[in-house]
Amino acid sequence: MMMLSVQGVVAQQPARHAAKGVAHVGAVPMAAFGRPKNQFVQNVVRCKAAEVESTPVTNSPNPSYEGVADTYAVVDIGGHQLIVEEGRWYSVNRLEAEPGSKIQLGRVLALKSAGEFKVGKPYLEGITVEAEIMEEMKGPKVTVYKMKPKKHYRRTNGHRQPLTKFLVTKIGQ
């Protein structure tokens, strides 16, 4: 038998498992409890979770969502409906605008402001969301593989979706 020790838990495992490289970490032989040795009982190892301070990350690849926002809007842009907040950036399918230019999103479906939630039918009149185009980029690569069995037909193609990244600067009238 081979002895293993992980975080103070000692476990024995049969030689047949040790030869194969299989480890029963945290397992205790049942013989310690008056049962046959070939049966194992898993011990639950409890550890304290590390305390992590939540600090806002400004250059992360995805927008962060911490807590409930005071003001947000639901807009229809690039074929998608997004919940947008001031000061956050979002990525959508390519928009026909140059980086650095300002745009107004007029198709606002809903707005929450000052504790009041308004829903349009289908859009809210007089409400716009102003944004600044940050950059144009490409999404992750998707591999498209086509084949027809027994016909010797194999095709591999790749695709990266063109995207536009924009920063919401103002929500309101």
Side-chain angles (χ1 to χ4, degrees), residues 64-75 82-88 90 108 110-118 124 127-130 168-173:
S64 62
Y65 298 102
E66 293 181 8
V68 178
D70 296 332
T71 302
Y72 64 87
V74 180
V75 296
L82 292 177
I83 300 174
V84 297
E85 301 174 22
E86 286 185 25
R88 296 192 190 267
Y90 302 91
V108 180
L111 174 71
K112 180 191 177 219
S113 179
E116 194 176 319
F117 189 78
K118 299 176 190 173
L124 289 172
I127 306 294
T128 60
V129 175
E130 295 179 6
V168 176
T169 56
K170 182 183 173 189
I171 297 176
Q173 300 177 1

Short mmCIF file of all heavy atoms in Angstrom, two decimals, residues 64-75 82-88 90 108 110-118 124 127-130 168-173:
data_model
loop_
_atom_site.label_atom_id
_atom_site.label_comp_id
_atom_site.label_asym_id
_atom_site.label_seq_id
_atom_site.Cartn_x
_atom_site.Cartn_y
_atom_site.Cartn_z
N SER A 64 -18.05 44.98 -16.58
CA SER A 64 -18.32 44.41 -15.27
C SER A 64 -19.71 44.82 -14.82
O SER A 64 -20.19 45.91 -15.13
CB SER A 64 -17.29 44.90 -14.25
OG SER A 64 -17.37 46.30 -14.11
N TYR A 65 -20.36 43.95 -14.08
CA TYR A 65 -21.69 44.23 -13.56
C TYR A 65 -21.65 44.01 -12.06
O TYR A 65 -21.71 42.89 -11.59
CB TYR A 65 -22.73 43.30 -14.20
CG TYR A 65 -22.83 43.49 -15.69
CD1 TYR A 65 -22.24 42.60 -16.57
CD2 TYR A 65 -23.51 44.58 -16.20
CE1 TYR A 65 -22.33 42.79 -17.92
CE2 TYR A 65 -23.60 44.77 -17.56
CZ TYR A 65 -23.02 43.88 -18.41
OH TYR A 65 -23.10 44.06 -19.76
N GLU A 66 -21.52 45.07 -11.31
CA GLU A 66 -21.48 44.98 -9.86
C GLU A 66 -22.66 45.77 -9.30
O GLU A 66 -22.75 46.97 -9.47
CB GLU A 66 -20.18 45.54 -9.30
CG GLU A 66 -18.98 44.71 -9.69
CD GLU A 66 -17.70 45.27 -9.11
OE1 GLU A 66 -17.78 46.20 -8.29
OE2 GLU A 66 -16.64 44.78 -9.47
N GLY A 67 -23.56 45.09 -8.64
CA GLY A 67 -24.69 45.74 -8.02
C GLY A 67 -25.73 46.20 -9.02
O GLY A 67 -25.62 46.01 -10.23
N VAL A 68 -26.76 46.83 -8.52
CA VAL A 68 -27.85 47.32 -9.34
C VAL A 68 -27.60 48.80 -9.63
O VAL A 68 -27.30 49.58 -8.73
CB VAL A 68 -29.20 47.13 -8.60
CG1 VAL A 68 -30.34 47.68 -9.42
CG2 VAL A 68 -29.40 45.68 -8.28
N ALA A 69 -27.72 49.18 -10.88
CA ALA A 69 -27.48 50.56 -11.28
C ALA A 69 -28.70 51.43 -10.99
O ALA A 69 -29.84 50.96 -11.01
CB ALA A 69 -27.14 50.61 -12.76
N ASP A 70 -28.44 52.72 -10.75
CA ASP A 70 -29.54 53.66 -10.52
C ASP A 70 -30.24 54.00 -11.82
O ASP A 70 -31.46 54.14 -11.86
CB ASP A 70 -29.01 54.93 -9.86
CG ASP A 70 -28.45 54.67 -8.48
OD1 ASP A 70 -28.90 53.72 -7.82
OD2 ASP A 70 -27.54 55.41 -8.06
N THR A 71 -29.46 54.17 -12.88
CA THR A 71 -30.01 54.54 -14.17
C THR A 71 -29.49 53.58 -15.24
O THR A 71 -28.29 53.39 -15.35
CB THR A 71 -29.61 55.98 -14.56
OG1 THR A 71 -30.07 56.86 -13.54
CG2 THR A 71 -30.22 56.37 -15.89
N TYR A 72 -30.41 52.99 -15.99
CA TYR A 72 -30.02 52.15 -17.12
C TYR A 72 -31.12 52.18 -18.16
O TYR A 72 -32.24 52.59 -17.89
CB TYR A 72 -29.69 50.72 -16.69
CG TYR A 72 -30.85 49.94 -16.11
CD1 TYR A 72 -31.72 49.23 -16.93
CD2 TYR A 72 -31.06 49.89 -14.74
CE1 TYR A 72 -32.77 48.51 -16.41
CE2 TYR A 72 -32.11 49.17 -14.21
CZ TYR A 72 -32.96 48.48 -15.05
OH TYR A 72 -34.00 47.77 -14.52
N ALA A 73 -30.76 51.76 -19.36
CA ALA A 73 -31.71 51.75 -20.48
C ALA A 73 -31.57 50.44 -21.24
O ALA A 73 -30.50 49.84 -21.27
CB ALA A 73 -31.47 52.93 -21.41
N VAL A 74 -32.66 50.01 -21.84
CA VAL A 74 -32.65 48.85 -22.72
C VAL A 74 -32.76 49.39 -24.14
O VAL A 74 -33.74 50.06 -24.48
CB VAL A 74 -33.83 47.89 -22.41
CG1 VAL A 74 -33.79 46.70 -23.35
CG2 VAL A 74 -33.80 47.45 -20.97
N VAL A 75 -31.70 49.15 -24.95
CA VAL A 75 -31.67 49.69 -26.30
C VAL A 75 -31.59 48.56 -27.32
O VAL A 75 -31.14 47.46 -27.01
CB VAL A 75 -30.47 50.65 -26.51
CG1 VAL A 75 -30.59 51.86 -25.62
CG2 VAL A 75 -29.16 49.94 -26.27
N LEU A 82 -29.71 45.40 -25.61
CA LEU A 82 -28.72 45.49 -24.55
C LEU A 82 -29.23 46.34 -23.41
O LEU A 82 -29.94 47.32 -23.62
CB LEU A 82 -27.43 46.14 -25.07
CG LEU A 82 -26.60 45.40 -26.08
CD1 LEU A 82 -25.41 46.27 -26.50
CD2 LEU A 82 -26.08 44.11 -25.49
N ILE A 83 -28.84 45.97 -22.20
CA ILE A 83 -29.06 46.82 -21.03
C ILE A 83 -27.79 47.63 -20.87
O ILE A 83 -26.72 47.08 -20.62
CB ILE A 83 -29.34 45.98 -19.78
CG1 ILE A 83 -30.58 45.13 -19.98
CG2 ILE A 83 -29.49 46.88 -18.56
CD1 ILE A 83 -30.85 44.15 -18.86
N VAL A 84 -27.87 48.96 -21.05
CA VAL A 84 -26.69 49.81 -21.02
C VAL A 84 -26.75 50.77 -19.83
O VAL A 84 -27.83 51.18 -19.41
CB VAL A 84 -26.52 50.59 -22.34
CG1 VAL A 84 -26.30 49.64 -23.50
CG2 VAL A 84 -27.70 51.48 -22.61
N GLU A 85 -25.57 51.11 -19.33
CA GLU A 85 -25.42 52.06 -18.23
C GLU A 85 -24.39 53.09 -18.62
O GLU A 85 -23.52 52.82 -19.45
CB GLU A 85 -24.94 51.34 -16.97
CG GLU A 85 -25.85 50.25 -16.49
CD GLU A 85 -25.23 49.48 -15.33
OE1 GLU A 85 -24.34 50.04 -14.66
OE2 GLU A 85 -25.62 48.34 -15.12
N GLU A 86 -24.46 54.26 -18.01
CA GLU A 86 -23.48 55.31 -18.29
C GLU A 86 -22.11 54.88 -17.77
O GLU A 86 -21.99 54.28 -16.71
CB GLU A 86 -23.89 56.62 -17.61
CG GLU A 86 -25.03 57.32 -18.28
CD GLU A 86 -25.32 58.68 -17.64
OE1 GLU A 86 -24.40 59.27 -17.05
OE2 GLU A 86 -26.47 59.12 -17.73
N GLY A 87 -21.07 55.20 -18.56
CA GLY A 87 -19.70 54.93 -18.14
C GLY A 87 -19.22 53.51 -18.41
O GLY A 87 -18.10 53.17 -18.07
N ARG A 88 -20.03 52.68 -19.02
CA ARG A 88 -19.62 51.31 -19.34
C ARG A 88 -19.52 51.16 -20.86
O ARG A 88 -20.18 51.86 -21.60
CB ARG A 88 -20.61 50.30 -18.79
CG ARG A 88 -20.68 50.31 -17.29
CD ARG A 88 -21.44 49.12 -16.80
NE ARG A 88 -21.73 49.20 -15.41
CZ ARG A 88 -20.95 48.68 -14.46
NH1 ARG A 88 -19.87 48.04 -14.78
NH2 ARG A 88 -21.29 48.80 -13.20
N TYR A 90 -19.53 48.48 -24.35
CA TYR A 90 -20.20 47.29 -24.84
C TYR A 90 -19.70 46.97 -26.24
O TYR A 90 -19.25 47.86 -26.97
CB TYR A 90 -21.72 47.49 -24.86
CG TYR A 90 -22.27 47.84 -23.51
CD1 TYR A 90 -22.39 49.16 -23.11
CD2 TYR A 90 -22.64 46.85 -22.62
CE1 TYR A 90 -22.87 49.48 -21.86
CE2 TYR A 90 -23.13 47.16 -21.37
CZ TYR A 90 -23.24 48.48 -20.99
OH TYR A 90 -23.70 48.79 -19.75
N VAL A 108 -34.77 53.24 -27.87
CA VAL A 108 -34.73 52.90 -26.44
C VAL A 108 -36.04 52.21 -26.10
O VAL A 108 -37.12 52.77 -26.23
CB VAL A 108 -34.53 54.16 -25.58
CG1 VAL A 108 -34.50 53.80 -24.12
CG2 VAL A 108 -33.26 54.88 -25.99
N ALA A 110 -36.72 50.64 -23.01
CA ALA A 110 -37.12 50.86 -21.62
C ALA A 110 -36.06 51.73 -20.96
O ALA A 110 -34.91 51.79 -21.38
CB ALA A 110 -37.27 49.54 -20.89
N LEU A 111 -36.47 52.40 -19.86
CA LEU A 111 -35.56 53.28 -19.12
C LEU A 111 -35.90 53.21 -17.64
O LEU A 111 -37.06 53.28 -17.26
CB LEU A 111 -35.70 54.72 -19.63
CG LEU A 111 -34.93 55.78 -18.86
CD1 LEU A 111 -33.44 55.64 -19.12
CD2 LEU A 111 -35.42 57.17 -19.25
N LYS A 112 -34.85 53.06 -16.82
CA LYS A 112 -35.03 53.16 -15.37
C LYS A 112 -34.23 54.36 -14.92
O LYS A 112 -33.02 54.43 -15.12
CB LYS A 112 -34.53 51.92 -14.65
CG LYS A 112 -34.74 52.05 -13.14
CD LYS A 112 -34.04 50.98 -12.37
CE LYS A 112 -34.26 51.26 -10.91
NZ LYS A 112 -33.09 51.00 -10.13
N SER A 113 -34.90 55.32 -14.32
CA SER A 113 -34.25 56.54 -13.87
C SER A 113 -34.98 57.05 -12.64
O SER A 113 -36.21 57.13 -12.64
CB SER A 113 -34.27 57.59 -14.98
OG SER A 113 -33.67 58.77 -14.54
N ALA A 114 -34.25 57.40 -11.61
CA ALA A 114 -34.80 57.95 -10.36
C ALA A 114 -35.87 57.04 -9.76
O ALA A 114 -36.91 57.48 -9.29
CB ALA A 114 -35.37 59.36 -10.60
N GLY A 115 -35.62 55.74 -9.80
CA GLY A 115 -36.54 54.78 -9.20
C GLY A 115 -37.80 54.54 -10.00
O GLY A 115 -38.71 53.85 -9.55
N GLU A 116 -37.89 55.10 -11.19
CA GLU A 116 -39.08 54.97 -12.03
C GLU A 116 -38.72 54.18 -13.28
O GLU A 116 -37.71 54.47 -13.93
CB GLU A 116 -39.57 56.36 -12.42
CG GLU A 116 -40.94 56.40 -13.00
CD GLU A 116 -41.37 57.85 -13.26
OE1 GLU A 116 -41.08 58.71 -12.42
OE2 GLU A 116 -41.96 58.07 -14.32
N PHE A 117 -39.51 53.18 -13.64
CA PHE A 117 -39.24 52.33 -14.80
C PHE A 117 -40.29 52.62 -15.87
O PHE A 117 -41.49 52.49 -15.62
CB PHE A 117 -39.28 50.86 -14.40
CG PHE A 117 -38.81 49.94 -15.47
CD1 PHE A 117 -37.46 49.79 -15.74
CD2 PHE A 117 -39.72 49.21 -16.23
CE1 PHE A 117 -37.01 48.94 -16.72
CE2 PHE A 117 -39.29 48.37 -17.22
CZ PHE A 117 -37.93 48.22 -17.47
N LYS A 118 -39.82 53.02 -17.06
CA LYS A 118 -40.73 53.34 -18.17
C LYS A 118 -40.48 52.34 -19.30
O LYS A 118 -39.34 52.05 -19.63
CB LYS A 118 -40.46 54.74 -18.70
CG LYS A 118 -40.67 55.84 -17.69
CD LYS A 118 -40.29 57.16 -18.28
CE LYS A 118 -40.26 58.24 -17.21
NZ LYS A 118 -39.72 59.51 -17.71
N LEU A 124 -39.43 54.42 -26.58
CA LEU A 124 -39.73 55.61 -25.79
C LEU A 124 -39.48 56.86 -26.64
O LEU A 124 -38.46 56.97 -27.32
CB LEU A 124 -38.87 55.66 -24.53
CG LEU A 124 -39.19 54.64 -23.45
CD1 LEU A 124 -38.14 54.67 -22.36
CD2 LEU A 124 -40.56 54.92 -22.86
N ILE A 127 -36.32 59.98 -25.69
CA ILE A 127 -35.21 59.45 -24.89
C ILE A 127 -34.13 58.94 -25.84
O ILE A 127 -34.42 58.20 -26.78
CB ILE A 127 -35.67 58.28 -23.99
CG1 ILE A 127 -36.85 58.68 -23.12
CG2 ILE A 127 -34.52 57.76 -23.15
CD1 ILE A 127 -36.53 59.73 -22.08
N THR A 128 -32.89 59.38 -25.62
CA THR A 128 -31.77 58.92 -26.44
C THR A 128 -30.63 58.49 -25.53
O THR A 128 -30.52 58.95 -24.39
CB THR A 128 -31.25 60.01 -27.39
OG1 THR A 128 -30.83 61.13 -26.62
CG2 THR A 128 -32.30 60.42 -28.39
N VAL A 129 -29.80 57.64 -26.05
CA VAL A 129 -28.58 57.21 -25.37
C VAL A 129 -27.42 57.65 -26.25
O VAL A 129 -27.35 57.31 -27.42
CB VAL A 129 -28.56 55.67 -25.18
CG1 VAL A 129 -27.25 55.22 -24.58
CG2 VAL A 129 -29.72 55.23 -24.31
N GLU A 130 -26.52 58.46 -25.67
CA GLU A 130 -25.37 58.94 -26.42
C GLU A 130 -24.18 58.06 -26.10
O GLU A 130 -23.96 57.67 -24.96
CB GLU A 130 -25.08 60.40 -26.07
CG GLU A 130 -26.19 61.34 -26.49
CD GLU A 130 -25.90 62.77 -26.12
OE1 GLU A 130 -24.78 63.07 -25.63
OE2 GLU A 130 -26.79 63.61 -26.31
N VAL A 168 -20.84 54.19 -23.43
CA VAL A 168 -22.06 54.96 -23.20
C VAL A 168 -21.70 56.19 -22.37
O VAL A 168 -21.15 56.07 -21.26
CB VAL A 168 -23.14 54.11 -22.49
CG1 VAL A 168 -24.36 54.96 -22.19
CG2 VAL A 168 -23.50 52.93 -23.34
N THR A 169 -21.97 57.39 -22.90
CA THR A 169 -21.61 58.62 -22.21
C THR A 169 -22.79 59.29 -21.52
O THR A 169 -22.60 59.95 -20.49
CB THR A 169 -20.97 59.63 -23.20
OG1 THR A 169 -21.88 59.85 -24.29
CG2 THR A 169 -19.66 59.10 -23.73
N LYS A 170 -24.00 59.14 -22.07
CA LYS A 170 -25.16 59.82 -21.47
C LYS A 170 -26.43 59.05 -21.77
O LYS A 170 -26.63 58.56 -22.88
CB LYS A 170 -25.26 61.24 -22.02
CG LYS A 170 -26.40 62.04 -21.43
CD LYS A 170 -26.49 63.41 -22.07
CE LYS A 170 -27.73 64.12 -21.58
NZ LYS A 170 -27.98 65.36 -22.32
N ILE A 171 -27.29 58.95 -20.76
CA ILE A 171 -28.62 58.36 -20.93
C ILE A 171 -29.62 59.44 -20.51
O ILE A 171 -29.53 59.97 -19.41
CB ILE A 171 -28.82 57.11 -20.07
CG1 ILE A 171 -27.84 56.01 -20.51
CG2 ILE A 171 -30.24 56.61 -20.17
CD1 ILE A 171 -27.90 54.77 -19.64
N GLY A 172 -30.53 59.79 -21.37
CA GLY A 172 -31.52 60.80 -21.00
C GLY A 172 -32.19 61.41 -22.20
O GLY A 172 -32.24 60.85 -23.28
N GLN A 173 -32.71 62.64 -21.99
CA GLN A 173 -33.47 63.31 -23.03
C GLN A 173 -32.63 64.24 -23.85
O GLN A 173 -31.65 64.72 -23.53
CB GLN A 173 -34.63 64.08 -22.40
CG GLN A 173 -35.55 63.15 -21.66
CD GLN A 173 -36.67 63.85 -20.94
OE1 GLN A 173 -36.79 65.05 -21.00
NE2 GLN A 173 -37.49 63.09 -20.27
#
